[in-house]
Amino acid sequence: MQSPSPDTAQRRTPLDVGRLRAAVASAGLSFTRVDVVESTGSTNADLIVRSREPGADGSVLLAEAQESGRGRHARAWASPPRAQIALSMLVRLPGVDPAVLGWLPLLTGIAVIDALRATARVPAELKWPNDVLIGGRKVAGILAEVAAGGPAPAVVIGIGVNVTLGEAELPVPHAISLELAGAAELDRTELVASILTEFDRRFTAWRDGGWATAGLVDAYRERCATIGTEVRAELPGGRALTGIATGIDDAGRLLVGDEAVSAGDVTHLRGQYRP
């Protein structure tokens, strides 16, 4: 990965934690703590450790650089300093039915889509289950990890967004950044505030609605680019399934033909994206 040009480095300004905290407070969001660190191995791992402390629920942690973050299936995910958003949130879900807990990362995907469309003004879409695409290329990913089980599970949700990466800095050819996509807003502080606002709105409504998923199902389907696309699903056990993605069922599973896929790598065969 090449070093950024002097002009690019100059535009990679630090996150403004004071402005973020003020935005959270003024909007009445339910987050209790917002911190920014210069560098860490993984913001998700850090919040999982913090989840054992009293009063940790509602914590938000951001890193200017992340050295050993992980995506789905334990894939490595690292960020150059101040070129990406590396964000984790710790939430608790009292009384949630374990059967619908898997909707949390999908809800997060909806929130990220809405934030990027509204603030960066890019045509972001979801690739099932929770990759964020622009023009068929991945701009953001989401990873949720259970920090504590029981009747009120605590979950850490990690969000990574490529903001000012140039073509030569992209980790893989099928990635893209907001800058390369011509985004109207590249201020990471503004983008994070928008993501937190959209997530809190969705999460609070879900919680207050008794964890009912009907509204989430409709919202997810509206934003999912996978529906109607020819896909190949690499399933656990080495089996592969190829066909048209016909929809998302009420459990959040991808329907390929008449078969429901709950886990696995899914490739859009008619698009640019590859896992």
Side-chain angles (χ1 to χ4, degrees), residues 191-251:
L191 294 166
V192 170
S194 182
I195 290 170
L196 293 178
T197 299
E198 291 294 337
F199 175 84
D200 190 73
R201 181 174 68 86
R202 290 277 178 186
F203 182 80
T204 300
W206 188 34
R207 181 198 63 204
D208 293 349
W211 311 113
T213 60
L216 291 178
V217 174
D218 292 340
Y220 188 91
R221 288 170 178 158
E222 290 172 2
R223 293 156 178 78
C224 184
T226 305
I227 298 173
T229 300
E230 185 179 10
V231 301
R232 176 182 173 85
E234 303 286 346
L235 305 176
R239 187 167 71 93
L241 175 65
T242 301
I244 300 297
T246 55
I248 306 295
D249 71 10
D250 290 348

Side-chain angles (χ1 to χ4, degrees), residues 140-172:
I142 295 159
L143 177 66
E145 299 180 272
V146 176
V155 182
V156 173
I157 311 116
I159 302 170
V161 184
N162 297 332
V163 180
T164 58
L165 289 171
E167 288 282 1
E169 297 177 295
L170 295 172
V172 287

